[in-house]
Amino acid sequence: MKEKNWFEIENADEIATPALLVYPDRIQHNIKRMIEIAGDVSRLRPHIKTHKTAEIIQMQQAYGIQKFKCATIAEAELLAQCKAKDVLLAMQPVGIHIQRFFKLMRTYPETQFSTLLDDMENAKNITEAAIKKQMKVSLWMDINVGMNRTGIEPGEEARKLFQFLDVNENVEAKGFHVYDGHLRDSNYDQRKKDCNTAFEKVVALKESLKKMGVEAKEIIAGGSPSFPVHAMRNDVDLSPGTVLLWDAGYGNLFPEMKMLPAAVLITRIISKPSKGIVTSDLGHKSLASEMPFSRVELLNAPDLEQLSQSEEHFVFNTNHPENYKIGDLLYAIPKHICPTVAKYQYLQVVEKGNVVNEWKVVARDQVISV
């Protein structure tokens, strides 16, 4: 009898495809590995944008993780519903989201919420809202160390912004938030060097403020690629996210992290329209399509060449079409798991080779209640 691979499920006939399978034993391994790298569970502030799921939050809480990071008000609310103690909204709230953030704080007073900003005018908008509502808001200054996506460059304007936060009675100036997701060299030594070079600007900013009598008490740094490097700094909290489910993109780049892929797409062959062409039902609506080809790592069909993808279809080429028939199952690890999860209302939970449950991706929507 052929030995079953770790990703295969016995009750596939009961599962509508495409579907996203998750494996709790592998998630548990990744949580343990995350804690091992951090060295101290209290330093961890994992990002939930990858999974957006209560059950995975609760798995982390069972290991003593109580600080989290998120990207949306809905994700923050999900964390509060899971009774997380400390939640950072790591997207600068603007417009109506400022009011939503304050409503979130009022609705869930048992959770300590904070958010970040990188702009003086928006800092004034947030602090004015805090004054009107007679509330105190916890704020981090988001620092740009080269990714050029968000953040304020470390320099004079950053010093002025943090000083403004520090003297405002309605603000608790928490410290710095530093995301360096652009540093992802597959060579660990080079990645470490790049990360340390970028972080020197953060240290210099902190020291210059200290000389002015202003203290940035805490620093949250990095994402999954730089997580092991920042773990070597004693005074920095860590915020990996992709590590919980992992994916083929990071798996190929960072094997030294020893994380396990814990989410697998299952798709069926639905057509063989011409010689050498095989089509599955894994379209844009079921798999993040912002990545170049190849977009998945096929686990049980290594000879299939990924040709194209449309809304409902994924087209492959093969030199061995006789090996595939309509209805055959393909298992695939996505190159980018985070936006792929958001395409599914439910994750299919696999234990001992069978789908036994489903977890709702609660925070895939923009709004839960707040």
Side-chain angles (χ1 to χ4, degrees):
M1 181 182 294
K2 179 189 172 187
E3 184 178 352
K4 186 164 64 69
N5 291 306
W6 67 267
F7 51 84
E8 292 179 309
I9 56 173
E10 296 175 9
N11 59 341
D13 288 346
E14 302 170 14
I15 305 302
T17 56
L20 186 57
L21 311 173
V22 290
Y23 303 75
D25 58 333
R26 289 178 156 250
I27 297 173
Q28 187 177 52
H29 165 91
N30 293 342
I31 293 171
K32 290 179 178 178
R33 181 70 185 131
M34 183 171 63
I35 294 170
E36 182 182 8
I37 293 172
D40 183 346
V41 71
S42 68
R43 299 182 64 201
L44 283 167
R45 185 185 288 273
H47 208 312
I48 77 158
K49 70 181 177 67
T50 297
H51 57 83
K52 306 174 188 289
T53 305
E55 288 82 356
I56 299 177
I57 294 168
Q58 291 159 355
M59 287 180 72
Q60 294 173 83
Q61 290 174 317
Y63 280 89
I65 297 171
Q66 284 296 342
K67 296 185 294 186
F68 293 91
K69 183 169 151 180
C70 62
T72 68
I73 298 288
E75 290 173 8
E77 184 171 7
L78 173 61
L79 284 160
Q81 291 176 347
C82 291
K83 302 189 184 306
K85 294 179 181 177
D86 188 332
V87 174
L88 165 61
L89 175 65
M91 285 277 283
Q92 177 169 220
V94 297
I96 193 172
H97 298 303
I98 294 175
Q99 301 305 317
R100 291 182 69 202
F101 183 70
F102 282 98
K103 184 178 179 182
L104 185 73
M105 288 194 288
R106 286 202 188 277
T107 305
Y108 298 95
E110 299 302 313
T111 296
Q112 172 61 52
F113 292 101
S114 59
T115 190
L116 52 76
L117 47 75
D118 62 15
D119 176 80
M120 180 65 81
E121 288 304 310
N122 204 48
K124 291 175 181 177
N125 293 337
I126 294 173
T127 55
E128 285 171 8
I131 292 168
K132 288 179 181 178
K133 295 176 184 297
Q134 298 183 321
M135 297 174 70
K136 190 164 187 175
V137 61
S138 297
L139 299 174
W140 302 79
M141 185 169 70
D142 190 22
I143 300 177
N144 177 15
V145 292
M147 190 167 186
N148 293 329
R149 186 174 71 181
T150 65
I152 186 170
E153 293 183 351
E156 182 59 28
E157 294 304 311
R159 282 190 288 273
K160 290 178 181 178
L161 177 57
F162 200 81
Q163 283 180 293
F164 172 81
L165 301 179
D166 187 64
V167 300
N168 196 299
E169 293 182 358
N170 287 79
V171 171
E172 179 187 8
K174 298 288 290 184
F176 300 160
H177 173 269
V178 184
Y179 183 64
D180 50 11
H182 61 299
L183 304 177
R184 51 178 68 193
D185 197 292
S186 60
N187 181 288
Y188 172 75
D189 290 335
Q190 184 61 52
R191 189 162 79 252
K192 179 181 178 182
K193 180 180 178 181
D194 294 342
C195 184
N196 287 337
T197 299
F199 198 74
E200 287 174 2
K201 303 173 186 176
V202 179
V203 174
L205 177 61
K206 182 177 180 179
E207 289 302 313
S208 67
L209 282 166
K210 190 174 182 179
K211 290 177 182 177
M212 300 166 65
V214 179
E215 184 179 4
K217 300 181 182 69
E218 302 176 61
I219 298 175
I220 301 169
S224 295
S226 59
F227 166 44
V229 179
H230 289 300
M232 293 185 284
R233 312 185 203 282
N234 294 326
D235 56 350
V236 170
D237 278 359
L238 313 161
S239 57
T242 306
V243 295
L244 276 305
L245 294 180
W246 213 224
D247 58 26
Y250 278 1
N252 291 331
L253 285 172
F254 316 124
E256 79 282 351
M257 292 179 66
K258 300 178 182 178
M259 299 293 175
L260 296 178
V264 175
L265 292 159
I266 183 171
T267 177
R268 285 186 171 92
I269 293 174
I270 60 169
S271 184
K272 296 173 68 177
S274 64
K275 186 178 179 180
I277 298 296
V278 172
T279 302
S280 87
D281 56 6
L282 190 66
H284 292 154
K285 295 175 181 177
S286 308
L287 168 68
S289 56
E290 90 283 14
M291 303 298 285
F293 286 98
S294 59
R295 288 178 178 161
V296 295
E297 183 176 295
L298 291 164
L299 296 172
N300 65 329
D303 68 301
L304 291 185
E305 178 191 3
Q306 299 172 41
L307 293 183
S308 66
Q309 190 186 20
S310 55
E311 289 184 68
E312 314 289 353
H313 305 91
F314 204 128
V315 179
F316 304 90
N317 181 61
T318 177
N319 293 324
H320 302 284
E322 70 278 2
N323 291 341
Y324 301 95
K325 63 181 185 297
I326 304 300
D328 279 355
L329 293 170
L330 303 178
Y331 294 86
I333 301 173
K335 287 293 180 72
H336 195 188
I337 187 61
C338 306
T340 295
V341 170
K343 294 178 179 290
Y344 291 87
Q345 187 175 4
Y346 292 94
L347 307 178
Q348 305 301 315
V349 182
V350 180
E351 293 181 359
K352 297 181 180 179
N354 281 278
V355 172
V356 298
N357 198 358
E358 58 184 19
W359 293 342
K360 186 173 183 180
V361 187
V362 177
R364 71 193 288 260
D365 297 325
Q366 285 293 312
V367 177
I368 297 177
S369 73
V370 173

